[in-house]
Amino acid sequence: MNKRSKQFPFVNIGLSSLLVVFLVLCLTTFALLSLSSAKSDLALSQKLADHRNSYYTASSSAESVLSQLDMLMEESYRNPAGSYIDSVRKGLDKITDADVSLDTESAPSGSLAVISYLIPLDKTQALDVRLLVTDPSVSESYYNIEKWQVITTTDRKFDQSLDLMNLRTRSIK
């Protein structure tokens, strides 16, 4: 008898079946990992798109307020009712899109006053705009933009406590 004819066909079938099962499990695992990665990428992209949309909406509102301020300053310079800054201060009530404040106390040297306003982006952030009002007879413009920045409007409270062991004291009676 020939030794080759005594081979066990079951062992050959079993190894190929195990190899196929292993390959199917690997492919299924990789498919689930890529699906999970794609889902998290979609969620991140949507979040970034929403943030970008809210930023550009707030920036558009800030540009609208800036345009109103520009027209107010030009009108105050052309037809002053008293001093230039007093005329600008009186006209700030006409600005409708934001709560605009004018501060002459904190004005740095070279500027007459500081105008600042906030445009909300979402629940926790706002666009902070700060303008330095200059004298148009000396300078080429009515103002210089000092700040155009997204800021956080809420206080962040981080839990820095570590509960390593929860020990309860029992009173002995």
Side-chain angles (χ1 to χ4, degrees):
M1 286 224 170
N2 193 357
K3 288 186 177 180
R4 291 186 182 187
S5 64
K6 288 186 175 181
Q7 290 181 352
F8 298 107
F10 180 73
V11 174
N12 291 338
I13 293 173
L15 287 176
S16 63
S17 296
L18 283 174
L19 183 62
V20 168
V21 168
F22 178 71
L23 287 174
V24 167
L25 284 175
C26 288
L27 290 175
T28 304
T29 303
F30 290 141
L32 290 175
L33 286 173
S34 66
L35 181 66
S36 172
S37 175
K39 186 177 177 183
S40 66
D41 285 347
L42 176 66
L44 179 64
S45 297
Q46 187 64 39
K47 186 176 179 181
L48 289 174
D50 291 342
H51 184 267
R52 184 170 291 147
N53 187 25
S54 65
Y55 172 77
Y56 284 127
T57 301
S59 182
S60 175
S61 297
E63 289 284 346
S64 173
V65 171
L66 190 62
S67 173
Q68 293 176 21
L69 284 169
D70 197 31
M71 288 189 301
L72 170 70
M73 288 180 195
E74 182 176 359
E75 181 182 318
S76 297
Y77 181 67
R78 303 267 184 237
N79 304 318
S83 74
Y84 171 66
I85 289 297
D86 290 336
S87 181
V88 169
R89 181 175 281 125
K90 289 176 187 174
L92 286 179
D93 296 335
K94 297 176 188 176
I95 308 297
T96 57
D97 293 340
D99 184 23
V100 180
S101 66
L102 183 131
D103 186 15
T104 55
E105 299 297 322
S106 65
S109 63
S111 63
L112 301 174
V114 174
I115 293 179
S116 60
Y117 56 96
L118 292 174
I119 304 291
L121 257 71
D122 55 19
K123 297 177 204 171
T124 61
Q125 292 182 329
L127 182 62
D128 185 16
V129 180
R130 183 178 161 112
L131 308 172
L132 300 177
V133 179
T134 58
D135 187 6
S137 60
V138 177
S139 175
E140 295 179 3
S141 63
Y142 297 112
Y143 56 87
N144 292 324
I145 299 175
E146 182 184 39
K147 184 195 275 187
W148 191 283
Q149 181 180 13
V150 175
I151 61 167
T152 304
T153 57
T154 59
D155 290 334
R156 293 184 181 181
K157 295 181 181 176
F158 298 107
D159 183 17
Q160 302 211 356
S161 63
L162 295 175
D163 190 16
L164 299 177
M165 294 180 67
N166 191 1
L167 299 176
R168 296 182 186 169
T169 58
R170 295 182 185 173
S171 61
I172 300 174
K173 293 184 181 181

